Amino acid sequence: MFKRLLITGGLALTLTTGIASADTAKVMIPANPGGGWDGAGRQTMAALNQTKIFTDGVNFTNKGGAAGTIGLAEFVRTAKGDDNALLVTGVIMVGGVITNKTPVSLDDTTPLARLTNEYNAIAVPADSPIKTPKDFLAALKADPTALSVGGGSAGGVDHVMLALLAKQAGAPVDKINFVAFSGGEILAALGGGKIKAAISGASEFRPFAQSGRIRIIAVSGPTRLEGLDVPTLKEAGIPIEIGNWRGIVGAPGMSESGRKLWAERFEKLRKTDIWAATLKTQGWEDAYLPSDEFSAFLKKEKAEWSQVLKEVGILN
């Protein structure tokens, strides 16, 4: 979910249909364990189980790399026609498909539901001299190559956010030192001082910040996040607001009855107290879109991100 700056910038309900019933769900998480996609997939399926909307078990497969497109390619290749095969997706994959010019895309899947939005955070090691968003911009301006900044895959929301920050600092985008990570690797690199800063979902950084291993210096949302005494970029006079939506798609060739069944499950889930509690605990916003609207959104998102990546200088 991208507000253009502002560029202005486990787990199945037993049914009598015989479709996707009494069968284990197979969930492809297109990232290594410990990151945002991993949390989104596991927390969503756990909530489906806890609400008894889907209780027939789940098998997770983690396949990280290339902005989720390696997992996407395997999913498209192996899950065709499987009504119980699901893939966790998000805006990072949209950007990855465009940036990497992959032969497969989300057009090859069956959109089921957009579920959440999460705003990014900028974090630094606990002993970093960078204390504020203005310090971060100053470091970018002084020498963008010296400020190694970790994030998700190239072309994703973290990369775009760094490019936008570089523009604000007056630093050349082609000189930024963006280091791509998959899953929870970024936390170890940041906590160990292997990179000087990182940009990712606020929920990924929160536990490490609470333990004192890292410091969060800014968040990219319109308001401060509950439980984090951290300013927004806009509070610091930096007109950037950018978020990271996540959702679920089904297999290529999923039957219409299978699509409707899973779409109904997610529709039921988002109305439950358990899901509301999950959103609050994880620091996610409810960004729900039902299957048909999610499908239309993905088409629009692909076109918009192609333009955004060109505007910030990541895509030629």
Side-chain angles (χ1 to χ4, degrees):
M1 187 174 293
F2 183 84
K3 298 187 179 178
R4 298 202 36 193
L5 256 300
L6 337 166
I7 290 177
T8 65
L11 307 179
L13 183 64
T14 300
L15 302 177
T16 59
T17 62
I19 302 297
S21 63
D23 284 319
T24 299
K26 288 153 276 186
V27 179
M28 169 66 76
I29 297 175
N32 293 337
W37 270 333
D38 193 57
R42 293 176 191 274
Q43 292 291 337
T44 299
M45 299 309 291
L48 282 169
N49 184 51
Q50 291 164 21
T51 54
K52 302 190 185 306
I53 292 171
F54 183 81
T55 58
D56 282 338
V58 58
N59 289 329
F60 294 99
T61 299
N62 286 83
K63 181 71 69 171
T69 59
I70 293 175
L72 171 65
E74 180 167 320
F75 182 75
V76 169
R77 179 177 61 83
T78 63
K80 187 173 182 179
D82 189 337
D83 280 355
N84 282 296
L86 307 175
L87 169 74
V88 183
T89 189
V91 67
I92 291 173
M93 187 177 289
V94 175
V97 166
I98 297 166
T99 304
N100 296 315
K101 298 180 173 63
T102 60
V104 296
S105 74
L106 288 168
D107 294 340
D108 299 305
T109 67
T110 304
L112 298 173
R114 190 184 73 180
L115 295 174
T116 65
N117 181 59
E118 180 179 16
Y119 290 105
N120 268 353
I122 303 173
V124 295
D127 59 355
S128 172
I130 298 173
K131 308 291 185 184
T132 69
K134 292 289 182 68
D135 292 342
F136 186 87
L137 289 193
L140 264 179
K141 184 174 183 178
D143 188 352
T145 61
L147 183 65
S148 53
V149 182
S153 300
V157 66
D158 308 336
H159 193 185
V160 167
M161 181 169 157
L162 180 59
L164 293 172
L165 288 164
K167 282 180 169 285
Q168 286 293 312
V173 172
D174 62 350
K175 300 297 184 183
I176 59 176
N177 186 359
F178 181 78
V179 185
F181 291 89
S182 180
E185 297 169 352
I186 190 172
L187 294 169
L190 184 63
K194 294 181 179 179
I195 50 178
K196 293 184 178 179
I199 297 173
S200 193
S203 67
E204 296 178 52
F205 290 147
R206 188 188 301 254
F208 269 48
Q210 290 172 340
S211 70
R213 294 187 63 183
I214 63 174
R215 281 187 291 107
I216 299 174
I217 62 169
V219 293
S220 67
T223 60
R224 293 192 179 205
L225 299 181
E226 184 177 349
L228 280 180
D229 185 22
V230 175
T232 66
L233 290 170
K234 292 169 72 175
E235 281 182 66
I238 302 168
I240 295 174
E241 181 182 322
I242 186 167
N244 183 1
W245 63 262
R246 299 186 181 101
I248 305 289
V249 296
M254 175 179 271
S255 70
E256 179 60 14
S257 53
R259 183 193 69 81
K260 287 182 177 179
L261 179 55
W262 277 106
E264 288 170 2
R265 287 169 176 161
F266 292 119
E267 171 72 23
K268 290 177 181 176
L269 177 66
R270 59 103 46 162
K271 297 176 181 178
T272 65
D273 291 340
I274 286 174
W275 184 241
T278 299
L279 294 175
K280 184 175 182 179
T281 299
Q282 297 299 316
W284 299 334
E285 285 189 337
D286 179 5
Y288 177 78
L289 284 178
S291 178
D292 290 343
E293 292 180 34
F294 185 33
S295 182
F297 168 80
L298 286 174
K299 290 179 174 60
K300 181 180 178 182
E301 189 81 334
K302 180 169 67 173
E304 289 190 353
W305 270 88
S306 293
Q307 184 61 32
V308 166
L309 289 167
K310 291 175 183 177
E311 288 181 5
V312 299
I314 293 174
L315 189 67
N316 294 324

